[in-house]
């Protein structure tokens, strides 16, 4: 079996305080952090036990995980398992990066988000330079608020040409809707922005969610993705594998990259290839002029 697991435990604390995020500057108690560590350890043991399968793991925490050594150690531990193909994590990249040397970097992927209201661009770029020097495949990005447009453009200019910069479209909470000029501006930074800037029709559509891609919480409850609440089983149940089967999407639309990227009809697996978890396209689309020329949907 080939299985991708999006793991999101109870960790919800973050060292940044972004106004749009409900977990900004949230602190958890020692008991809550201990529960998160125990849940993580149980999950790691489960991955280790699936030695006959090919497993990839994508950590998508509510908060910031890499400021905690236990998550740094988890990434290193997973990359050394022969049956683990890929390990990736979403992060604000505020942590130290010395732990990366304990990883098999060819299996490690980093999805890094730049928050211009909480860090200086030169500091974030220095972290990216460290990832490059260590040989870690990574993407970087920014939330597409219109008032971040200048920072997104500056980040694109300052990043190495080989680094993909994505822009997450703001579909709710934007001060004003995007104008055609706004869309063109962000598309000049990220040619995949038009793909992210829509809610894709998904009801009844085929998706790998629930079959070869699952979302798992700290209790082991599995769902087809982060955006459909209905559980399909629990990974710690002895008969869990029977729950993995094709399921048409039950939502009207899908507007988040980590959801729609697994929908068959969009064929974005062809765009991202082996970089699908850390959001790195297989070819440097950002060097081309328009999404149409790049052959994008």
């Amino acid at each position: 079996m080939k299985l991708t697991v999006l793991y999101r435990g109870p960790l919800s604390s973050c060292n940044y305080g972004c106004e749009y995020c409900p977990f900004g500057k949230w602190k958890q108690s020692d008991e809550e952090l201990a529960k998160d560590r125990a849940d993580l350890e149980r999950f790691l043991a489960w991955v280790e036990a699936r030695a006959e399968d090919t497993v990839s793991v994508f950590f998508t925490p509510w908060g910031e995980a890499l400021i905690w050594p236990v998550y740094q150690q988890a990434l290193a531990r997973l990359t050394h398992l022969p049956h683990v193909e890929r390990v990736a994590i979403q992060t604000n990249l505020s942590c130290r990066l010395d732990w990366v040397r304990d990883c098999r970097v060819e299996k490690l992927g980093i999805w890094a988000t730049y928050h211009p209201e909480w860090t200086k661009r030169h500091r974030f770029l220095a972290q990216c330079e460290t990832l490059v020097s260590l040989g870690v495949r990574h993407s970087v990005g920014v939330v597409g608020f219109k008032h971040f447009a200048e920072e997104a453009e500056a980040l694109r200019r300052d990043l190495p040409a080989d680094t993909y910069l994505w822009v997450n479209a703001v579909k709710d909470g934007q001060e004003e809707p995007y104008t055609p000029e706004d869309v063109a501006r962000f598309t000049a930074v990220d040619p995949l922005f038009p793909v992210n800037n829509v809610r894709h029709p998904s009801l009844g559509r085929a998706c790998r969610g629930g079959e070869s891609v699952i979302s798992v919480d700290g209790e082991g409850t599995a769902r087809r993705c982060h955006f459909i609440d209905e559980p399909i089983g629990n990974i710690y149940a002895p008969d869990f594998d029977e729950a993995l089967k094709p399921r048409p999407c039950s939502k009207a639309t899908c507007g988040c990259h980590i959801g729609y990227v697994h929908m068959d009809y969009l064929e974005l697996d062809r765009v991202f290839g082996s970089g699908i978890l850390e959001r790195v396209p297989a070819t440097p689309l950002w060097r081309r002029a328009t999404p149409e020329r790049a052959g994008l949907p």
Side-chain angles (χ1 to χ4, degrees), residues 1-5 46 50 53 208-216 222-224 232-233 235 239-247:
M1 180 184 299
K2 191 168 185 176
L3 184 64
T4 296
V5 182
W46 178 81
R50 297 190 69 97
D53 301 322
R208 293 183 291 280
E211 181 181 11
S212 61
V213 182
I214 58 173
S215 167
V216 174
R223 296 173 172 84
R224 64 181 78 180
I232 63 172
I235 62 172
D239 60 348
F240 170 69
D241 287 4
E242 297 175 13
L244 299 173
K245 59 184 179 182
R247 289 177 170 83

Side-chain angles (χ1 to χ4, degrees), residues 22-127:
F23 306 105
K25 285 297 182 182
W26 180 263
K27 292 185 179 180
Q28 291 178 287
S29 67
D30 291 342
E31 291 78 13
E32 290 171 326
L33 292 172
K35 174 66 164 57
D36 183 71
R37 289 194 298 270
D39 288 349
L40 177 60
E41 177 58 38
R42 188 184 185 194
F43 173 70
L44 295 175
W46 178 81
V47 175
E48 288 173 334
R50 297 190 69 97
E52 295 182 1
D53 301 322
T54 300
V55 182
S56 293
V57 178
F58 184 21
F59 291 96
T60 61
W62 291 118
E64 174 55 40
L66 282 183
I67 57 176
W68 302 104
V70 65
Y71 277 92
Q72 300 170 7
Q73 295 159 10
L75 292 175
R77 179 171 162 185
L78 289 173
T79 63
H80 285 279
L81 295 178
H83 64 286
V84 168
E85 185 172 60
R86 199 85 190 139
V87 184
I89 191 168
Q90 293 177 327
T91 176
N92 61 27
L93 212 56
S94 62
C95 65
R96 294 179 59 180
L97 294 172
D98 50 348
W99 57 271
V100 173
R101 293 180 173 84
D102 296 327
C103 299
R104 289 187 60 183
V105 293
E106 70 273 14
K107 292 187 177 185
L108 180 63
I110 298 291
W111 163 318
T113 304
Y114 171 52
H115 298 279
E117 72 276 47
W118 284 95
T119 188
K120 299 295 185 182
R121 192 185 332 132
H122 70 88
R123 293 177 183 171
F124 184 84
L125 287 165
Q127 291 287 79

Side-chain angles (χ1 to χ4, degrees), residues 168-213:
N168 266 358
V170 179
K171 302 176 184 69
D172 299 299
Q174 184 81 261
E175 57 270 25
E176 294 178 357
Y178 292 125
T179 65
E181 291 76 18
D182 294 326
V183 172
R185 189 175 186 183
F186 279 130
T187 302
V189 172
D190 173 12
L192 287 171
F193 180 76
V195 180
N196 187 254
N197 192 35
V198 298
R199 297 186 184 276
H200 300 278
S202 56
L203 185 63
R205 301 271 192 165
C207 180
R208 293 183 291 280
E211 181 181 11
S212 61
V213 182

Side-chain angles (χ1 to χ4, degrees), residues 5-20:
V5 182
L6 280 61
Y7 180 80
R8 178 177 283 169
L11 181 75
S12 59
S13 56
C14 187
N15 57 330
Y16 284 3
C18 304
E19 292 183 2
Y20 56 85

Side-chain angles (χ1 to χ4, degrees), residues 99-163:
W99 57 271
V100 173
R101 293 180 173 84
D102 296 327
C103 299
R104 289 187 60 183
V105 293
E106 70 273 14
K107 292 187 177 185
L108 180 63
I110 298 291
W111 163 318
T113 304
Y114 171 52
H115 298 279
E117 72 276 47
W118 284 95
T119 188
K120 299 295 185 182
R121 192 185 332 132
H122 70 88
R123 293 177 183 171
F124 184 84
L125 287 165
Q127 291 287 79
C128 296
E129 290 172 4
T130 299
L131 291 178
V132 171
S133 69
L134 293 170
V136 180
R137 188 164 64 180
H138 61 286
S139 69
V140 303
V142 64
V143 179
F145 286 111
K146 295 201 286 185
H147 58 275
F148 286 170
E150 288 186 10
E151 277 295 327
E153 292 166 337
L155 189 62
R156 177 64 279 170
R157 289 193 299 270
D158 293 344
L159 281 168
D162 290 336
T163 301

